Each structure stands twice: as structure tokens, then as C-alpha cells.
Amino acid sequence: MITSNRMNNLHPYVPGEQPKDRVYIKLNANENPYPPCKQVIKAVSKFVKTNPMKMAVYPDPDSNELHAAIADMLNKTGGVLCRAKVDGKHCEPSEEDKIPFTITPDMIYSGNGSDEVLSFVFYAFFDSSKKFVMPQFTYSFYPVYAGFYNIPMDTVPLKDDWSLDTDEMLSRAKNNAGGIIFANPNAPTGIGLKRDEVRKMLKSANPDEIFIVDEAYVDFGGESCIPLLAEFKNLVIVRTFSKSLCSAGMRLGYIVANPELVNIVTTVKNSVNHFPIDAVAQVAGKAACENPWYYADCAKKVAEERDSFYNFLKEKGFYVIKSETNFLFAKKDGVKGEDLYKAIKAEGLLIRHFNTPGIEDFVRITAGTKEQMSALRTAFEKVIG
Ligand SMILES: *Cc1c(COP(=O)(O)O)cnc(C)c1O
């Protein structure tokens, strides 16, 4: 019988369920409830119709046009869509999100979803000789990569209010000398660190060790650390098209970092898969970046629904954390997360619960459209009373 020793270190990530047995309202995987903008659909249709040969030949391995479009979008939005100032199709950063320099395409690396990008970042910057530091509760794919690449990890418990224990993370990072990663805002809690708090961390962290901030959710109301790239050469910011850019199905993610670090990750990519982003996804991603006004509007609507459902949960006696993301993390005394999930599923809606010790009481609820959230309210009233 064939066995594989490598399997011992593999503990695959389990994504939010995508059931096929019936049509559910999906509020379990932090996807965007809105489709990509019309310009994306038009660009993709036109591309496949007029350039069929572009699907017969290899795409641009380095997605150069996409990188230029991503850089441009970040310069126009400050990297926080929900606060961007929109006037018709014109978009500019809010005062607090202004980036004090211009992001250039050589500061961008992109890949097949930020999951793949993260995996290459782990491979490039962490190694088996030193522990890297991460919060105990954060994106649950990080420990999966650690197992895959055989990198030891040092997990730091959250504080009592579920926020990051930044002092403890720093002191462990100093002991280990192996780098830091966390999501900001964090998942599944929804709590963000202010840019100044991250700056303080970076100032006392070892400048020769990598410092990775995963900004998957920052467009819904957090503070981006992109402005800190001018001050800190060890900072890598990871972002995705899956949440705020309505494109989880396209599989597009990227990093923003100094060009030297971008080159390192590009070398990893070219040692695994030259062409992680197909020709169609490159076109779709570029068109999305050219229309940030649309996604800013979507992010604002989602944030509004999130805050209004926060109030609803409070009224219903839930413990619920104020969120800067597109989801809420909540629990109610005497109600198990899994039981609530099952009861809501029976009403035709999917939310997420966790079997991880310490957060089994919680559910994570993605903010959807007004109509979806109204259906969810009805289901909660029926189930909770
Ligand atoms: C959703 C998510 C990702 C992965 O996004 P993809 O680009 O779809 O692979 C990465 N990090 C965090 C924290 C996420 O929530």
C-alpha cells in the first residue's frame, strides 16, 4: 500500500460550506452579496469574444497590467473602500486614509487568491529553524501552512476582550526571532488595530524579521497599514479580491510591499507555477480596479447592514463584538454555536460556527444585502424568540 509521510503534517483548511441540496442564503463565508460591476462583465465578455487565441496561449506570467491597475486603485481609495470619497465615478481617499507616497506596480505581487499568495509568503519568509508568532484565534489557514511547510508556530492568546495582545506578541517575536503574522482587522473577531498601534509594534519589532499584516477585510472599515510601507522595509501587506471586490470566484489576491520583497515572492511563484492567474482573471481584476467607486458603494452598504444587525443582536441579548469587517462574531448565553447554526440552517440561511475549543459558543455571520439580513432577522426571531 502506498502511504505518504508528508500527510502527517497536513491538516487541510475547511472552508465555509457551499451546499448543493437546496438554495440557501449564504452568510457563512464572508463573500460579498453583490456581483462584480458591469464593466467587469463587459471586459470579460469582450475579451473572450475578440481574443479567443488569448485562451490558447499562456497569459502574462507577471500580470503587469493587473498590477498597474491594483496600484492605481490603492492610490485612488487609500486602501479603504468604505471610507473612500465617491463623486459619480470619481474616487479619492478620505483624509485619514491618504497614502503619503504613490504606490507603484513594482510594489504589487498577485496570485491565485490570497490563500495561494499567503502560502508563498510563508514559504519565502518563515522557516523551520525559528517559530513565527500569530494570535491564537486568527485566520485558520495560517496553522495549515505552518504544517505544510513544517514551520513551528508560537500562538499568543487574545486578551479578555478578544483583541490582540500586541505586547505579548512582540515579546515572543523577540525571543523567537522568526517573524509575525496576523489579520487586521482580525478574523473571526472583527476587531482591528489602529495604524498607530501597528506602527508602535513595527518600531519595537526586529527590522530583520518579516511582519505580515493580512488586510482581507480592511475595506469594510479598518485602517490600512499601506502608509507604513514607507517607514518599514520588513512589512508585507496581504489583500484579496474575494471580499470587498466581489470576486471570490475569480481567485485573485495580492501583496503590497517593497519591491525587494515582491521579487522574493515572485521567485517562489516562478519555482512552483509560472502562471497562477489566468488570462480571464487578469482582465476581470483589471476592470474591477478601474471602477473602485462601485465597490466603495458595495462596501458602504455592507458596513451599514453589519452595524444594523449588530444592534439587532444586542437587543436580542447577544454578546457581540463591534466589527470593522463584513461579518459579526456573536454568542448568546445558553446557546451553543452549532445549535444556533443548525436552527438557522433549517430556516434556509447559512451562518458559520466553529468547533475550535474556546470559540464553540460563537457564530460568525456575514453581512449581506438588506433583504438577506431582513430574512436573517426573521429566522433569529423565530429561533431565539
Ligand atoms: C478570506 C480570507 C483570505 C483568503 O482569501 P482568498 O483571496 O479568497 O484566498 C485570506 N485571509 C483572510 C483573513 C481571509 O478572511
Side-chain angles (χ1 to χ4, degrees), residues 13 29-30 112-116 118 138-139 141-142 145 183 185-187 214-217 238-243 248 251-253 327 364:
Y13 178 76
N30 296 343
N112 189 246
S114 65
D115 286 343
E116 186 206 58
L118 278 162
T138 187
Y139 187 38
F141 224 131
Y142 307 152
Y145 302 127
N186 197 23
D214 184 342
E215 295 192 347
Y217 297 107
V238 182
R239 302 177 53 117
T240 176
F241 281 62
S242 295
K243 280 59 187 245
R251 310 307 304 130
L252 285 166
F327 59 83
R364 193 195 67 192

Side-chain angles (χ1 to χ4, degrees), residues 139-152:
Y139 187 38
S140 45
F141 224 131
Y142 307 152
V144 176
Y145 302 127
F148 185 81
Y149 293 121
N150 230 324
I151 309 163

